[in-house]
């Protein structure tokens, strides 16, 4: 029997990226369906979040995300460009955001097709894996192709159906909060939230308690 879980994710979250490949590997080995549910990052939902954080927050986060990547052997590098346009010194979020709306709508369009996890992981490997100018050329087209999707089709939908996609993305955020958390990555399984990339082994343990089995060869 296939089990199901919701995986809440943001394209700007390094920890979301650091979790995706491991969740994808679990889905390939075990009989589990992860429904990717993209949300807009805190920079969009709560722009003042970064300005009121403790001064050590940013430095520690940078130290830790590189450490996690090294520990798991995950290719990792600062995004070039950042999916969110933000002043690094003042932490102020720019009004114009040319990347994150497109990315998140593409992710939701992929989720509509049941391929959200694959697309988010492939795109994440560009954004957080060190690819320069990931938003240009055929980078994203290649990511979509590797996920079994067509970027031109996703982009057309992201433009023509932007309002409906945004409504679905906001519904994802509401479902995340109703599920017991507010941040990403969060996986909700059988009504229980697991926040963070450091809960993946615990997620697998819980699913095995609920009858998770390996996929047949």
């Amino acid at each position: 029997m296939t089990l199901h879980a919701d995986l809440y994710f943001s394209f700007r979250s390094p920890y979301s990226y650091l979790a995706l490949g491991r969740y994808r590997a679990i889905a390939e080995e075990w009989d589990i369906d992860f429904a990717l549910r993209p949300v807009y990052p805190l920079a969009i939902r709560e722009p003042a979040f970064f300005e009121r954080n403790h001064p050590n927050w940013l430095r520690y986060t940078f130290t830790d995300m590189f450490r996690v990547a090294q520990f798991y052997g995950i290719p990792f590098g600062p995004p070039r460009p950042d999916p969110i346009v933000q002043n690094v010194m003042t932490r102020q979020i720019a009004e114009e955001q040319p990347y994150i709306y497109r990315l998140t709508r593409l992710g939701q369009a992929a989720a509509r097709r049941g391929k959200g996890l694959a697309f988010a992981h492939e795109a994440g490997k560009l954004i957080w894996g060190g690819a320069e100018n990931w938003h240009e050329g055929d980078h994203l087209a290649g990511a979509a192709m590797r996920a079994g999707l067509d970027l031109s089709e996703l982009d057309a939908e992201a433009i023509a159906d932007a309002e409906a996609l945004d409504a679905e993305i906001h519904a994802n955020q509401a479902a995340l909060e109703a599920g017991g958390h507010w941040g990403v990555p969060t996986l909700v399984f059988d009504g229980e939230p697991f926040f963070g990339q450091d809960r993946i082994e615990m997620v697998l343990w819980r699913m095995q308690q609920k009858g998770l089995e390996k996929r047949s060869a």
Side-chain angles (χ1 to χ4, degrees):
M1 180 182 69
T2 302
L3 300 184
H4 300 272
D6 291 323
L7 179 56
Y8 298 90
F9 160 89
S10 159
F11 283 96
R12 209 280 176 103
S13 162
Y15 291 113
S16 287
Y17 161 65
L18 291 168
L20 281 180
R22 290 141 66 201
Y23 275 126
R24 193 176 179 187
I26 289 173
E28 290 172 356
E29 182 179 358
W30 298 85
D31 195 10
I32 175 71
D33 173 39
F34 292 122
L36 190 86
R37 303 192 67 174
V39 301
Y40 282 119
L42 278 172
I44 297 298
R45 292 185 281 117
E46 298 181 38
F49 172 83
F50 296 93
E51 297 177 25
R52 63 174 181 261
N53 260 356
H54 191 283
N56 286 344
W57 178 84
L58 188 61
R59 183 175 63 181
Y60 177 81
T61 299
F62 266 83
T63 299
D64 187 58
M65 63 190 189
F66 279 97
R67 178 171 57 208
V68 170
Q70 290 173 351
F71 182 80
Y72 287 103
I74 301 171
F76 192 81
R80 299 176 293 173
D82 190 326
I84 290 290
V85 181
Q86 179 180 16
N87 186 310
V88 177
M89 300 301 296
T90 66
R91 305 185 189 181
Q92 185 174 7
I93 307 298
E95 290 188 14
E96 292 295 323
Q97 295 293 335
Y99 312 124
I100 195 62
Y101 288 107
R102 178 194 180 199
L103 275 173
T104 310
R105 289 166 185 160
L106 290 175
Q108 184 61 29
R112 285 176 169 180
R113 293 158 173 78
K115 296 183 177 180
L117 178 59
F119 175 75
H121 182 222
E122 295 297 339
K125 286 193 288 186
L126 296 174
I127 299 166
W128 290 101
E132 188 169 2
N133 295 321
W134 52 263
H135 62 304
E136 296 179 349
D138 59 359
H139 285 310
L140 284 175
M145 182 179 64
R146 290 188 293 275
L149 297 163
D150 181 274
L151 182 66
S152 60
E153 178 184 311
L154 295 179
D155 260 327
E157 186 171 323
I159 294 169
D161 210 20
E163 187 174 344
L165 287 166
D166 277 348
E168 292 170 16
I169 293 163
H170 289 304
N172 290 343
Q173 180 62 40
L176 167 60
E177 295 180 7
H181 212 277
W182 59 92
V184 291
T186 291
L187 184 130
V188 178
F189 170 67
D190 198 25
E192 186 176 10
F194 297 83
F195 169 68
Q197 60 78 31
D198 55 348
R199 291 294 183 268
I200 295 176
E201 289 78 10
M202 193 174 290
V203 167
L204 185 57
W205 165 75
R206 179 66 85 207
M207 289 178 172
Q208 289 168 342
Q209 288 182 326
K210 299 296 179 76
L212 180 65
E213 298 179 347
K214 290 201 173 183
R215 294 190 184 275
S216 20

